[in-house]
Amino acid sequence: MDVFSLCLEGVALAGQAALHIGFAGRLTGKRPRPWHFAVYLALLAAVELACRALLPGAVLTPMGLGMLALCGVSRVGLRNRRGASWLAAVLAFCITQLSFGLVNSVEAAVFPYFLGKPALYPLVAAALVASLALCAGCCAAVGRLLRWTGESGTPYLGLLLFPGLFCFAAELYILRTAYGGIALVPTLAEAGRHGVLLLLQAMGLGALLCTLYAYRQLCQGIQVQAAARAQRAYLAGAQARSEQTRAFRHDIRNHLSVLDGLLRRGELEAGRAYLSKLEAVSASLTGPYQTGSPVVDILLGEKLGLAPEITAEVALVLPQPCGIDEPDLCVIFANALDNAVAACRAGGDAPFLRVAGQRQGDFYLLTFENTCPEGPLPPPGTGLASLRAAAGKYRGAVQTEKAGGRFTLSVLLDIS
């Protein structure tokens, strides 16, 4: 192997290592470190050297070992789940092979025209750059189509392995059969063969992207359905509690008459016992928060009640009439509280969450402030999109701000 080929091989390995590690981190919302790249590059180089020495001409073995190396770095270094690590490794190598295969089809078609000419070296170098650029673009596209921060937002994750492995196997077959030998004399038949291969690989890449897009739509549909079920449950609970409160208020005169009778007869102990029972019933109806909306009261009680480790402060009294439908209040508070609790739990020690509201003329400003981990914000998800849609119904706006270890979500609503 000459110096040019050696340098080209090194650049290809380094480029693939950087793209694979960046893709695995982007896909799972993790930030790769330089040592992740260094370890993975060393593993790829070791696999390449070992396979060339022991299994010259093998294709499947080095790729399989490379996927195993990427899965290991993702699992141990990035601390991803097993399913996410395997999927990231399969997709990374599948995208790489399809991207390089597309460029190889064009390169193989024009190669005979440059054979023996000085322009051959720039052609090979340009093909490598184009392959890495196409691979980077495809990785970015897949990163936008498929990205998760936990298994709850990506159900049936293992099903994605099948289309990924199919595309990977198809590309390997093309690589083994179609590129075993490149014609040295340009012919029309050879150019047509490479054109067909280019079309097949472009269709394979398009099919993979379409599959991932369909999967993303499926996940969003499942999340929307789950949110709708949760809203119905919250509204039903709020309605039931409101009816119980009205019934208690209706019967309060009877309770006061009983207490008055006990006191008139001097039965103080019986009166105290009866009063204690009334206090217990009243406490069960009231809940820990009183914001003026039964739906919001239930949401705050349930969401914050499940996170006792978070120091919560609620300074919120909604105006009456509020002007905001209860389902929309449910969407806003449920998504905001879910995101805030998740950020508090990931933010380390002394988690804090504050919910506040302030009226400004015909507008009402809701503020959710919470602790959060250092680093860039995670990508916006379905929850924030639903929250923006709910605010848009009231000519409102949603603004997010991160300063140090504090994150603030502001929701401005028109309640006129």
PDB file of all heavy atoms in Angstrom, residues 289-320:
ATOM      1  N   TYR A 289     -53.082  21.989  46.788  1.00  0.00           N
ATOM      2  CA  TYR A 289     -52.952  23.266  46.081  1.00  0.00           C
ATOM      3  C   TYR A 289     -54.342  23.788  45.723  1.00  0.00           C
ATOM      4  O   TYR A 289     -55.232  23.014  45.351  1.00  0.00           O
ATOM      5  CB  TYR A 289     -52.111  23.100  44.813  1.00  0.00           C
ATOM      6  CG  TYR A 289     -50.732  22.546  45.085  1.00  0.00           C
ATOM      7  CD1 TYR A 289     -50.451  21.207  44.843  1.00  0.00           C
ATOM      8  CD2 TYR A 289     -49.727  23.359  45.600  1.00  0.00           C
ATOM      9  CE1 TYR A 289     -49.196  20.690  45.095  1.00  0.00           C
ATOM     10  CE2 TYR A 289     -48.458  22.850  45.855  1.00  0.00           C
ATOM     11  CZ  TYR A 289     -48.205  21.511  45.611  1.00  0.00           C
ATOM     12  OH  TYR A 289     -46.970  20.996  45.878  1.00  0.00           O
ATOM     13  N   GLN A 290     -54.509  25.097  45.832  1.00  0.00           N
ATOM     14  CA  GLN A 290     -55.745  25.760  45.462  1.00  0.00           C
ATOM     15  C   GLN A 290     -55.408  26.912  44.521  1.00  0.00           C
ATOM     16  O   GLN A 290     -54.935  27.961  44.952  1.00  0.00           O
ATOM     17  CB  GLN A 290     -56.486  26.294  46.697  1.00  0.00           C
ATOM     18  CG  GLN A 290     -57.002  25.203  47.627  1.00  0.00           C
ATOM     19  CD  GLN A 290     -55.948  24.692  48.575  1.00  0.00           C
ATOM     20  OE1 GLN A 290     -55.192  25.466  49.172  1.00  0.00           O
ATOM     21  NE2 GLN A 290     -55.878  23.383  48.746  1.00  0.00           N
ATOM     22  N   THR A 291     -55.621  26.668  43.229  1.00  0.00           N
ATOM     23  CA  THR A 291     -55.287  27.670  42.223  1.00  0.00           C
ATOM     24  C   THR A 291     -56.527  28.308  41.603  1.00  0.00           C
ATOM     25  O   THR A 291     -56.393  29.227  40.795  1.00  0.00           O
ATOM     26  CB  THR A 291     -54.459  27.029  41.109  1.00  0.00           C
ATOM     27  OG1 THR A 291     -55.272  26.045  40.425  1.00  0.00           O
ATOM     28  CG2 THR A 291     -53.218  26.358  41.663  1.00  0.00           C
ATOM     29  N   GLY A 292     -57.707  27.792  41.953  1.00  0.00           N
ATOM     30  CA  GLY A 292     -58.923  28.282  41.323  1.00  0.00           C
ATOM     31  C   GLY A 292     -59.406  27.400  40.198  1.00  0.00           C
ATOM     32  O   GLY A 292     -60.489  27.630  39.657  1.00  0.00           O
ATOM     33  N   SER A 293     -58.623  26.384  39.822  1.00  0.00           N
ATOM     34  CA  SER A 293     -59.011  25.448  38.773  1.00  0.00           C
ATOM     35  C   SER A 293     -58.844  24.029  39.302  1.00  0.00           C
ATOM     36  O   SER A 293     -57.730  23.634  39.667  1.00  0.00           O
ATOM     37  CB  SER A 293     -58.156  25.634  37.516  1.00  0.00           C
ATOM     38  OG  SER A 293     -58.352  24.568  36.608  1.00  0.00           O
ATOM     39  N   PRO A 294     -59.924  23.235  39.371  1.00  0.00           N
ATOM     40  CA  PRO A 294     -59.788  21.859  39.848  1.00  0.00           C
ATOM     41  C   PRO A 294     -58.814  21.032  39.021  1.00  0.00           C
ATOM     42  O   PRO A 294     -58.093  20.193  39.555  1.00  0.00           O
ATOM     43  CB  PRO A 294     -61.213  21.299  39.743  1.00  0.00           C
ATOM     44  CG  PRO A 294     -62.104  22.498  39.749  1.00  0.00           C
ATOM     45  CD  PRO A 294     -61.324  23.586  39.079  1.00  0.00           C
ATOM     46  N   VAL A 295     -58.783  21.262  37.699  1.00  0.00           N
ATOM     47  CA  VAL A 295     -57.860  20.515  36.844  1.00  0.00           C
ATOM     48  C   VAL A 295     -56.415  20.807  37.217  1.00  0.00           C
ATOM     49  O   VAL A 295     -55.591  19.903  37.381  1.00  0.00           O
ATOM     50  CB  VAL A 295     -58.117  20.855  35.360  1.00  0.00           C
ATOM     51  CG1 VAL A 295     -57.047  20.245  34.473  1.00  0.00           C
ATOM     52  CG2 VAL A 295     -59.489  20.366  34.942  1.00  0.00           C
ATOM     53  N   VAL A 296     -56.083  22.083  37.362  1.00  0.00           N
ATOM     54  CA  VAL A 296     -54.714  22.459  37.719  1.00  0.00           C
ATOM     55  C   VAL A 296     -54.364  21.968  39.124  1.00  0.00           C
ATOM     56  O   VAL A 296     -53.240  21.519  39.389  1.00  0.00           O
ATOM     57  CB  VAL A 296     -54.531  23.984  37.594  1.00  0.00           C
ATOM     58  CG1 VAL A 296     -53.132  24.406  38.062  1.00  0.00           C
ATOM     59  CG2 VAL A 296     -54.768  24.427  36.156  1.00  0.00           C
ATOM     60  N   ASP A 297     -55.340  22.035  40.044  1.00  0.00           N
ATOM     61  CA  ASP A 297     -55.088  21.541  41.406  1.00  0.00           C
ATOM     62  C   ASP A 297     -54.716  20.061  41.396  1.00  0.00           C
ATOM     63  O   ASP A 297     -53.769  19.634  42.066  1.00  0.00           O
ATOM     64  CB  ASP A 297     -56.332  21.748  42.274  1.00  0.00           C
ATOM     65  CG  ASP A 297     -56.641  23.221  42.496  1.00  0.00           C
ATOM     66  OD1 ASP A 297     -55.747  24.046  42.224  1.00  0.00           O
ATOM     67  OD2 ASP A 297     -57.761  23.535  42.929  1.00  0.00           O
ATOM     68  N   ILE A 298     -55.461  19.272  40.619  1.00  0.00           N
ATOM     69  CA  ILE A 298     -55.180  17.843  40.548  1.00  0.00           C
ATOM     70  C   ILE A 298     -53.830  17.585  39.883  1.00  0.00           C
ATOM     71  O   ILE A 298     -53.036  16.747  40.330  1.00  0.00           O
ATOM     72  CB  ILE A 298     -56.306  17.123  39.791  1.00  0.00           C
ATOM     73  CG1 ILE A 298     -57.600  17.176  40.593  1.00  0.00           C
ATOM     74  CG2 ILE A 298     -55.938  15.678  39.501  1.00  0.00           C
ATOM     75  CD1 ILE A 298     -58.791  16.581  39.886  1.00  0.00           C
ATOM     76  N   LEU A 299     -53.544  18.298  38.798  1.00  0.00           N
ATOM     77  CA  LEU A 299     -52.264  18.119  38.112  1.00  0.00           C
ATOM     78  C   LEU A 299     -51.088  18.434  39.029  1.00  0.00           C
ATOM     79  O   LEU A 299     -50.119  17.668  39.112  1.00  0.00           O
ATOM     80  CB  LEU A 299     -52.211  19.005  36.865  1.00  0.00           C
ATOM     81  CG  LEU A 299     -52.937  18.489  35.628  1.00  0.00           C
ATOM     82  CD1 LEU A 299     -53.014  19.565  34.577  1.00  0.00           C
ATOM     83  CD2 LEU A 299     -52.229  17.268  35.079  1.00  0.00           C
ATOM     84  N   LEU A 300     -51.163  19.558  39.714  1.00  0.00           N
ATOM     85  CA  LEU A 300     -50.079  19.931  40.623  1.00  0.00           C
ATOM     86  C   LEU A 300     -49.926  18.900  41.733  1.00  0.00           C
ATOM     87  O   LEU A 300     -48.800  18.492  42.086  1.00  0.00           O
ATOM     88  CB  LEU A 300     -50.341  21.313  41.212  1.00  0.00           C
ATOM     89  CG  LEU A 300     -50.190  22.501  40.263  1.00  0.00           C
ATOM     90  CD1 LEU A 300     -50.709  23.771  40.915  1.00  0.00           C
ATOM     91  CD2 LEU A 300     -48.724  22.684  39.867  1.00  0.00           C
ATOM     92  N   GLY A 301     -51.067  18.467  42.292  1.00  0.00           N
ATOM     93  CA  GLY A 301     -50.995  17.496  43.371  1.00  0.00           C
ATOM     94  C   GLY A 301     -50.398  16.176  42.936  1.00  0.00           C
ATOM     95  O   GLY A 301     -49.564  15.589  43.631  1.00  0.00           O
ATOM     96  N   GLU A 302     -50.799  15.679  41.745  1.00  0.00           N
ATOM     97  CA  GLU A 302     -50.311  14.382  41.289  1.00  0.00           C
ATOM     98  C   GLU A 302     -48.872  14.454  40.800  1.00  0.00           C
ATOM     99  O   GLU A 302     -48.040  13.610  41.155  1.00  0.00           O
ATOM    100  CB  GLU A 302     -51.219  13.859  40.181  1.00  0.00           C
ATOM    101  CG  GLU A 302     -52.613  13.480  40.665  1.00  0.00           C
ATOM    102  CD  GLU A 302     -53.387  12.750  39.594  1.00  0.00           C
ATOM    103  OE1 GLU A 302     -52.819  12.497  38.514  1.00  0.00           O
ATOM    104  OE2 GLU A 302     -54.560  12.426  39.842  1.00  0.00           O
ATOM    105  N   LYS A 303     -48.547  15.440  39.957  1.00  0.00           N
ATOM    106  CA  LYS A 303     -47.197  15.524  39.400  1.00  0.00           C
ATOM    107  C   LYS A 303     -46.159  15.795  40.481  1.00  0.00           C
ATOM    108  O   LYS A 303     -45.111  15.137  40.528  1.00  0.00           O
ATOM    109  CB  LYS A 303     -47.136  16.637  38.340  1.00  0.00           C
ATOM    110  CG  LYS A 303     -48.074  16.451  37.172  1.00  0.00           C
ATOM    111  CD  LYS A 303     -47.668  15.290  36.293  1.00  0.00           C
ATOM    112  CE  LYS A 303     -48.542  15.203  35.059  1.00  0.00           C
ATOM    113  NZ  LYS A 303     -48.190  14.048  34.198  1.00  0.00           N
ATOM    114  N   LEU A 304     -46.429  16.746  41.360  1.00  0.00           N
ATOM    115  CA  LEU A 304     -45.466  17.074  42.412  1.00  0.00           C
ATOM    116  C   LEU A 304     -45.501  16.052  43.535  1.00  0.00           C
ATOM    117  O   LEU A 304     -44.497  15.850  44.219  1.00  0.00           O
ATOM    118  CB  LEU A 304     -45.756  18.477  42.954  1.00  0.00           C
ATOM    119  CG  LEU A 304     -45.660  19.602  41.916  1.00  0.00           C
ATOM    120  CD1 LEU A 304     -45.930  20.957  42.564  1.00  0.00           C
ATOM    121  CD2 LEU A 304     -44.293  19.614  41.251  1.00  0.00           C
ATOM    122  N   GLY A 305     -46.671  15.403  43.729  1.00  0.00           N
ATOM    123  CA  GLY A 305     -46.739  14.360  44.751  1.00  0.00           C
ATOM    124  C   GLY A 305     -45.893  13.154  44.409  1.00  0.00           C
ATOM    125  O   GLY A 305     -45.416  12.439  45.302  1.00  0.00           O
ATOM    126  N   LEU A 306     -45.651  12.899  43.116  1.00  0.00           N
ATOM    127  CA  LEU A 306     -44.803  11.785  42.693  1.00  0.00           C
ATOM    128  C   LEU A 306     -43.323  12.122  42.728  1.00  0.00           C
ATOM    129  O   LEU A 306     -42.495  11.262  42.447  1.00  0.00           O
ATOM    130  CB  LEU A 306     -45.194  11.359  41.267  1.00  0.00           C
ATOM    131  CG  LEU A 306     -46.595  10.763  41.104  1.00  0.00           C
ATOM    132  CD1 LEU A 306     -46.896  10.493  39.635  1.00  0.00           C
ATOM    133  CD2 LEU A 306     -46.732   9.486  41.915  1.00  0.00           C
ATOM    134  N   ALA A 307     -42.986  13.361  43.049  1.00  0.00           N
ATOM    135  CA  ALA A 307     -41.579  13.782  43.119  1.00  0.00           C
ATOM    136  C   ALA A 307     -41.329  14.497  44.446  1.00  0.00           C
ATOM    137  O   ALA A 307     -41.098  15.713  44.491  1.00  0.00           O
ATOM    138  CB  ALA A 307     -41.243  14.709  41.944  1.00  0.00           C
ATOM    139  N   PRO A 308     -41.398  13.758  45.564  1.00  0.00           N
ATOM    140  CA  PRO A 308     -41.216  14.410  46.870  1.00  0.00           C
ATOM    141  C   PRO A 308     -39.816  14.948  47.090  1.00  0.00           C
ATOM    142  O   PRO A 308     -39.606  15.780  47.972  1.00  0.00           O
ATOM    143  CB  PRO A 308     -41.544  13.279  47.863  1.00  0.00           C
ATOM    144  CG  PRO A 308     -41.273  12.018  47.111  1.00  0.00           C
ATOM    145  CD  PRO A 308     -41.626  12.311  45.690  1.00  0.00           C
ATOM    146  N   GLU A 309     -38.851  14.481  46.288  1.00  0.00           N
ATOM    147  CA  GLU A 309     -37.483  14.961  46.464  1.00  0.00           C
ATOM    148  C   GLU A 309     -37.279  16.366  45.918  1.00  0.00           C
ATOM    149  O   GLU A 309     -36.251  17.005  46.177  1.00  0.00           O
ATOM    150  CB  GLU A 309     -36.502  14.006  45.771  1.00  0.00           C
ATOM    151  CG  GLU A 309     -36.491  14.074  44.245  1.00  0.00           C
ATOM    152  CD  GLU A 309     -37.608  13.284  43.587  1.00  0.00           C
ATOM    153  OE1 GLU A 309     -38.503  12.800  44.323  1.00  0.00           O
ATOM    154  OE2 GLU A 309     -37.596  13.146  42.357  1.00  0.00           O
ATOM    155  N   ILE A 310     -38.263  16.882  45.174  1.00  0.00           N
ATOM    156  CA  ILE A 310     -38.161  18.217  44.581  1.00  0.00           C
ATOM    157  C   ILE A 310     -38.824  19.231  45.498  1.00  0.00           C
ATOM    158  O   ILE A 310     -39.973  19.054  45.920  1.00  0.00           O
ATOM    159  CB  ILE A 310     -38.823  18.243  43.196  1.00  0.00           C
ATOM    160  CG1 ILE A 310     -38.126  17.256  42.248  1.00  0.00           C
ATOM    161  CG2 ILE A 310     -38.805  19.646  42.608  1.00  0.00           C
ATOM    162  CD1 ILE A 310     -38.793  17.143  40.900  1.00  0.00           C
ATOM    163  N   THR A 311     -38.105  20.299  45.810  1.00  0.00           N
ATOM    164  CA  THR A 311     -38.678  21.397  46.589  1.00  0.00           C
ATOM    165  C   THR A 311     -39.552  22.242  45.663  1.00  0.00           C
ATOM    166  O   THR A 311     -39.050  22.878  44.731  1.00  0.00           O
ATOM    167  CB  THR A 311     -37.575  22.260  47.202  1.00  0.00           C
ATOM    168  OG1 THR A 311     -36.744  21.440  48.030  1.00  0.00           O
ATOM    169  CG2 THR A 311     -38.165  23.385  48.026  1.00  0.00           C
ATOM    170  N   ALA A 312     -40.853  22.208  45.894  1.00  0.00           N
ATOM    171  CA  ALA A 312     -41.801  22.877  45.002  1.00  0.00           C
ATOM    172  C   ALA A 312     -42.384  24.109  45.673  1.00  0.00           C
ATOM    173  O   ALA A 312     -42.690  24.110  46.865  1.00  0.00           O
ATOM    174  CB  ALA A 312     -42.920  21.922  44.602  1.00  0.00           C
ATOM    175  N   GLU A 313     -42.555  25.146  44.891  1.00  0.00           N
ATOM    176  CA  GLU A 313     -43.180  26.389  45.347  1.00  0.00           C
ATOM    177  C   GLU A 313     -44.224  26.796  44.314  1.00  0.00           C
ATOM    178  O   GLU A 313     -43.901  26.961  43.128  1.00  0.00           O
ATOM    179  CB  GLU A 313     -42.127  27.492  45.502  1.00  0.00           C
ATOM    180  CG  GLU A 313     -42.701  28.837  45.918  1.00  0.00           C
ATOM    181  CD  GLU A 313     -41.642  29.917  45.966  1.00  0.00           C
ATOM    182  OE1 GLU A 313     -40.478  29.603  46.273  1.00  0.00           O
ATOM    183  OE2 GLU A 313     -41.990  31.087  45.682  1.00  0.00           O
ATOM    184  N   VAL A 314     -45.455  26.941  44.756  1.00  0.00           N
ATOM    185  CA  VAL A 314     -46.552  27.292  43.857  1.00  0.00           C
ATOM    186  C   VAL A 314     -47.147  28.617  44.294  1.00  0.00           C
ATOM    187  O   VAL A 314     -47.668  28.734  45.408  1.00  0.00           O
ATOM    188  CB  VAL A 314     -47.633  26.189  43.845  1.00  0.00           C
ATOM    189  CG1 VAL A 314     -48.789  26.602  42.930  1.00  0.00           C
ATOM    190  CG2 VAL A 314     -47.050  24.864  43.387  1.00  0.00           C
ATOM    191  N   ALA A 315     -47.024  29.612  43.449  1.00  0.00           N
ATOM    192  CA  ALA A 315     -47.604  30.934  43.701  1.00  0.00           C
ATOM    193  C   ALA A 315     -48.508  31.267  42.520  1.00  0.00           C
ATOM    194  O   ALA A 315     -48.144  32.022  41.615  1.00  0.00           O
ATOM    195  CB  ALA A 315     -46.497  31.978  43.859  1.00  0.00           C
ATOM    196  N   LEU A 316     -49.680  30.639  42.516  1.00  0.00           N
ATOM    197  CA  LEU A 316     -50.539  30.706  41.341  1.00  0.00           C
ATOM    198  C   LEU A 316     -51.997  30.734  41.761  1.00  0.00           C
ATOM    199  O   LEU A 316     -52.461  29.860  42.490  1.00  0.00           O
ATOM    200  CB  LEU A 316     -50.280  29.475  40.444  1.00  0.00           C
ATOM    201  CG  LEU A 316     -51.191  29.291  39.243  1.00  0.00           C
ATOM    202  CD1 LEU A 316     -50.980  30.405  38.237  1.00  0.00           C
ATOM    203  CD2 LEU A 316     -50.932  27.936  38.599  1.00  0.00           C
ATOM    204  N   VAL A 317     -52.713  31.761  41.323  1.00  0.00           N
ATOM    205  CA  VAL A 317     -54.159  31.846  41.495  1.00  0.00           C
ATOM    206  C   VAL A 317     -54.730  32.289  40.149  1.00  0.00           C
ATOM    207  O   VAL A 317     -54.513  33.426  39.723  1.00  0.00           O
ATOM    208  CB  VAL A 317     -54.553  32.835  42.609  1.00  0.00           C
ATOM    209  CG1 VAL A 317     -56.072  32.930  42.683  1.00  0.00           C
ATOM    210  CG2 VAL A 317     -53.975  32.415  43.941  1.00  0.00           C
ATOM    211  N   LEU A 318     -55.418  31.386  39.491  1.00  0.00           N
ATOM    212  CA  LEU A 318     -55.968  31.688  38.178  1.00  0.00           C
ATOM    213  C   LEU A 318     -57.180  32.591  38.319  1.00  0.00           C
ATOM    214  O   LEU A 318     -57.990  32.428  39.244  1.00  0.00           O
ATOM    215  CB  LEU A 318     -56.351  30.397  37.462  1.00  0.00           C
ATOM    216  CG  LEU A 318     -55.182  29.479  37.090  1.00  0.00           C
ATOM    217  CD1 LEU A 318     -55.695  28.140  36.604  1.00  0.00           C
ATOM    218  CD2 LEU A 318     -54.309  30.125  36.031  1.00  0.00           C
ATOM    219  N   PRO A 319     -57.345  33.549  37.413  1.00  0.00           N
ATOM    220  CA  PRO A 319     -58.506  34.451  37.503  1.00  0.00           C
ATOM    221  C   PRO A 319     -59.796  33.706  37.199  1.00  0.00           C
ATOM    222  O   PRO A 319     -59.805  32.694  36.509  1.00  0.00           O
ATOM    223  CB  PRO A 319     -58.202  35.506  36.428  1.00  0.00           C
ATOM    224  CG  PRO A 319     -57.289  34.820  35.466  1.00  0.00           C
ATOM    225  CD  PRO A 319     -56.468  33.862  36.271  1.00  0.00           C
ATOM    226  N   GLN A 320     -60.870  34.207  37.751  1.00  0.00           N
ATOM    227  CA  GLN A 320     -62.197  33.630  37.539  1.00  0.00           C
ATOM    228  C   GLN A 320     -63.126  34.701  36.972  1.00  0.00           C
ATOM    229  O   GLN A 320     -63.295  35.750  37.604  1.00  0.00           O
ATOM    230  CB  GLN A 320     -62.746  33.064  38.847  1.00  0.00           C
ATOM    231  CG  GLN A 320     -61.941  31.920  39.410  1.00  0.00           C
ATOM    232  CD  GLN A 320     -61.878  30.724  38.482  1.00  0.00           C
ATOM    233  OE1 GLN A 320     -62.826  30.466  37.733  1.00  0.00           O
ATOM    234  NE2 GLN A 320     -60.769  30.005  38.519  1.00  0.00           N
TER     235      GLN A 320
END
